[in-house]
Amino acid sequence: MSEHRERIDGVGGQGRSAGDVARRLGVAVTTLRTWHQRYGLGPSEHVAHRHRRYTPDDVARLEVMCRLTTEGVPAHEAARIALAGLPGEPAAARLAPEPDSSARGLAVAAVRLDMPAMLSIIAAAVRGRGVVYAWDHLLCPVLVEVARRQQPDGHMIEVEHLLSRCILEVLWTVPRPFGASAARTLLACAAEEQHTLPLEALAAALAEQGCGSRMLGARVPPLALADAIRRTGPAAVFIWSQFAATGDPAQLSPVLAARPRPALIAAAGPGWSDPLPDGVSRPADLTDALRLALPITAPRPR
């Protein structure tokens, strides 16, 4: 996450090219173009007969976008926050999306490493409002705040690790459907990708709807994922990439070639580069992932 915190300013009053900004933020140029086209997070400096350049304010907004999407905030919501910042306001001062009233208590408990309090607050939100609400309005905002407070020397990493563990423990308490036919969704991280928490949230959200899933976890090689598809015959497959370094679309080719081919193959997360292969969906957030998955994975009435 530290690579997204460095403030990038223009040199000599001149803006920066898309390639320069992409390298410094650790994202693909195609990702910057997608954010420009979909959300208006593009370069604003214009010089006649030249490509537009990114100003320091443009880059500050992109820093917010990178930081929030890294922590699992839906891309459209992260863009809204990035664009809503007042001119001159530091990027780090912008708030997370519409936090639940218990978010402050969870943040305080996290900083104190108060595991019982964290578990209690997270469990109350998940059981009272559901996984999707808890993820969007409590867990993501607090994860973003914890990441904002982290220092270059690693201080506060312990807070993020324990908070993530508490989130996992509560998500794992959501009852899962039993039986081989119930696990019709396969969840896996892209090759070399280690961020599993968003997939755990999806697994729990599916379980709330009576849909089971198989979680392969972090760093799943493409051929291993294709083999798992052949052996289990899932209706839906979600592959998560958090960073551009793990989001090469070429690794989706073995998945697309696997038989029986799943009805839904989804590249989830902010790391994937465009263009994706034909036949691959790209959910925008947890709600969108459920919208894609439920029609083909929900239990059939008897």
Side-chain angles (χ1 to χ4, degrees):
M1 287 172 289
S2 61
E3 65 266 34
H4 295 318
R5 286 199 206 96
E6 181 184 356
R7 180 61 183 265
I8 307 169
D9 294 315
V11 178
Q14 298 179 351
R16 293 190 178 275
S17 69
D20 188 14
V21 173
R23 285 190 296 271
R24 289 174 179 271
L25 290 176
V27 301
V29 171
T30 53
T31 298
L32 293 183
R33 290 173 183 159
T34 298
W35 289 350
H36 183 191
Q37 294 166 359
R38 293 183 182 176
Y39 311 119
L41 286 168
S44 58
E45 180 180 281
H46 178 65
V47 177
H49 309 299
R50 292 182 58 187
H51 291 295
R52 289 183 178 271
R53 310 278 285 185
Y54 287 87
T55 67
D57 284 344
D58 295 333
V59 176
R61 284 187 284 269
L62 288 170
E63 287 176 330
V64 175
M65 185 72 174
C66 286
R67 176 169 56 82
L68 294 180
T69 55
T70 293
E71 295 305 321
V73 176
H76 71 276
E77 184 66 17
R80 183 188 68 78
I81 297 166
L83 291 168
L86 298 175
E89 181 185 5
R94 292 163 192 168
L95 298 176
E98 301 175 4
D100 183 82
S101 59
S102 60
R104 179 174 177 77
L106 179 58
V108 171
V111 171
R112 293 176 177 173
L113 300 181
D114 187 343
M115 189 171 184
M118 283 191 280
L119 290 170
S120 177
I121 294 169
I122 298 167
V126 169
R127 293 167 186 167
R129 303 295 296 272
V131 172
V132 173
Y133 176 89
W135 181 255
D136 287 345
H137 298 273
L138 175 63
L139 304 179
C140 280
V142 175
L143 283 166
V144 168
E145 175 62 17
V146 168
R148 185 184 70 81
R149 296 186 185 186
Q150 286 180 12
Q151 303 297 320
D153 63 1
H155 179 62
M156 295 284 287
I157 293 261
E158 75 285 0
V159 174
E160 180 186 3
H161 285 186
L162 187 59
L163 173 59
S164 297
R165 178 66 188 187
C166 289
I167 292 171
L168 284 173
E169 290 199 12
V170 174
L171 292 177
W172 289 337
T173 66
V174 178
R176 266 52 171 178
F178 290 101
S181 62
R184 306 189 68 230
T185 300
L186 191 61
L187 306 174
C189 285
E192 303 308 319
E193 178 59 63
Q194 301 188 64
H195 291 76
T196 62
L197 195 56
L199 287 180
E200 295 286 0
L202 177 55
L206 285 167
E208 282 187 329
Q209 303 299 320
C211 301
S213 61
R214 287 183 175 90
M215 171 69 74
L216 299 186
R219 302 179 68 179
V220 181
L223 292 178
L225 178 55
D227 187 48
I229 292 171
R230 286 190 288 268
R231 293 164 64 186
T232 63
V237 177
F238 288 85
I239 309 109
W240 181 268
S241 170
Q242 190 85 3
F243 298 110
T246 66
D248 182 0
Q251 66 188 290
L252 299 172
S253 296
V255 178
L256 289 164
R259 296 294 182 269
R261 181 167 173 172
L264 171 65
I265 298 173
W272 293 105
S273 301
D274 289 324
L276 293 176
D278 292 340
V280 177
S281 299
R282 190 169 197 166
D285 51 28
L286 183 56
T287 298
D288 197 28
L290 288 176
R291 178 187 64 79
L292 292 171
L294 289 179
I296 59 175
T297 61
R300 298 181 177 90
R302 294 183 178 181

